[in-house]
Amino acid sequence: MEWSVETARVKGWCRLVIEYATYIEWYSMMCYVIVCVVCVVFFFNDTATTEIYTLSLHDALPISVVKLYTGKKSIEVISELLECMGGAGYLEDTGIPTLLRDAQVLSIWEGTTNVLSLDVLRSIHRENTFESFLKISRDKINRIPINLELEKGILEIEIQKLEDYYGKLQELDQQLIETDARQLSFAIAKVMISILLVEFTNKINDQKQKARMAIITERWLDNNKVELKPKDVDYIMNSRAILGNE
């Protein structure tokens, strides 16, 4: 094929469409968690069978994490959609500007990202939900079959990084821990999605669909590694200096 400006535009647009189509699959995995918990608790009244990142619906950790992460990412995805459509995306007739405005509601009325991140911290401190999260996550990882040994190894590394990071947080004062609340919540979200994608891919029987989900899972694991570094006292002091308070 002969390359041209138009070809580049089309290929760039297609790349974005494919990329954000995979995003939809990734975030759907998180929403699946909450739907399952709600269905089991309210329709079957049996919290013992909710083998999904929570011991009861009252645990704020999984619900807050799902709300803050999907709400934040929806704005990013729809903003790219508007840009893909060029000038047409800016016009009200397309409905895309309405989608972008409505997406803002998810990270405001459903609880702002910072408030939900603090809810995650409160849940961890009051109900010890982080330990439950680690236990159930490791149980799920241990049940991954040998044919997914590579993915299993990646998940074990990710969950260990998350646990090590949380351990370092416990050595800090409350102000520094709250400063890291958003980073911790986003990391938990990434690990949740990683485990659910691998688990879901393994359960698919249709080979064509299984191959498709394997590619989506591989892309997620490659592009969403947990990178964490706790803030220190210097971070707070430097932040005050930036604001002119020192």
Side-chain angles (χ1 to χ4, degrees):
M1 176 185 286
E2 193 172 321
W3 284 88
S4 65
V5 174
E6 288 303 316
T7 303
R9 284 177 180 169
V10 170
K11 283 185 173 293
W13 185 82
C14 289
R15 182 191 62 78
L16 282 172
V17 170
I18 293 168
E19 181 177 341
Y20 285 104
T22 58
Y23 278 16
I24 292 171
E25 295 284 355
W26 298 340
Y27 306 146
S28 294
M29 286 296 100
M30 298 190 72
C31 295
Y32 167 77
V33 174
I34 300 306
V35 170
C36 285
V37 171
V38 170
C39 288
V40 171
V41 172
F42 283 110
F43 289 91
F44 298 98
N45 193 29
D46 181 10
T47 56
T49 60
T50 58
E51 191 198 40
I52 308 187
Y53 290 112
T54 179
L55 301 180
S56 76
L57 190 62
H58 301 292
D59 290 340
L61 187 146
I63 296 175
S64 296
V65 166
V66 170
K67 286 171 65 176
L68 72 87
Y69 198 75
T70 56
K72 200 69 174 176
K73 291 299 180 179
S74 65
I75 299 171
E76 176 187 334
V77 172
I78 297 174
S79 179
E80 285 286 357
L81 168 63
L82 189 150
E83 187 176 333
C84 282
M85 299 299 292
Y90 188 76
L91 299 177
E92 291 290 339
D93 292 346
T94 64
I96 300 175
T98 302
L99 289 175
L100 184 58
R101 288 194 298 272
D102 289 348
Q104 304 288 335
V105 173
L106 299 174
S107 62
I108 299 174
W109 290 352
E110 292 296 327
T112 64
T113 306
N114 284 341
V115 169
L116 289 172
S117 296
L118 293 175
D119 283 345
V120 170
L121 279 185
R122 280 191 287 270
S123 172
I124 289 172
H125 292 153
R126 293 177 184 176
E127 303 172 20
N128 201 30
T129 51
F130 190 75
E131 294 302 322
S132 298
F133 169 76
L134 290 178
K135 180 181 181 302
I136 295 174
S137 295
R138 286 205 164 96
D139 287 344
K140 285 179 173 288
I141 293 172
N142 290 335
R143 290 200 297 270
I144 294 174
I146 194 168
N147 62 305
L148 294 172
E149 198 66 29
L150 177 61
E151 290 82 354
K152 182 177 181 179
I154 293 173
L155 294 178
E156 288 173 342
I157 292 172
E158 295 299 285
I159 200 73
Q160 188 60 52
K161 285 195 291 187
L162 187 58
E163 184 176 17
D164 292 344
Y165 169 73
Y166 179 73
K168 292 176 181 177
L169 279 186
Q170 302 314 296
E171 302 172 2
L172 306 176
D173 62 34
Q174 188 61 28
Q175 184 180 15
L176 286 171
I177 293 175
E178 291 181 358
T179 301
D180 267 20
R182 179 185 289 218
Q183 184 176 213
L184 174 63
S185 299
F186 273 59
I188 291 172
K190 289 182 177 181
V191 171
M192 283 177 65
I193 295 175
S194 297
I195 294 173
L196 286 167
L197 279 171
V198 173
E199 187 178 54
F200 181 70
T201 301
N202 180 56
K203 292 179 178 179
I204 297 175
N205 293 321
D206 182 84
Q207 292 304 309
K208 184 177 180 181
Q209 181 67 5
K210 192 183 190 77
R212 173 179 172 273
M213 282 304 301
I215 295 171
I216 290 172
T217 302
E218 182 183 0
R219 289 192 180 186
W220 172 267
L221 294 175
D222 286 344
N223 298 321
N224 291 276
K225 297 278 194 309
V226 173
E227 300 295 339
L228 298 164
K229 182 181 179 182
K231 307 294 190 300
D232 54 21
V233 177
D234 288 340
Y235 179 88
I236 297 293
M237 298 302 294
N238 292 335
S239 297
R240 290 174 178 170
I242 291 172
L243 297 173
N245 295 332
E246 284 293 334

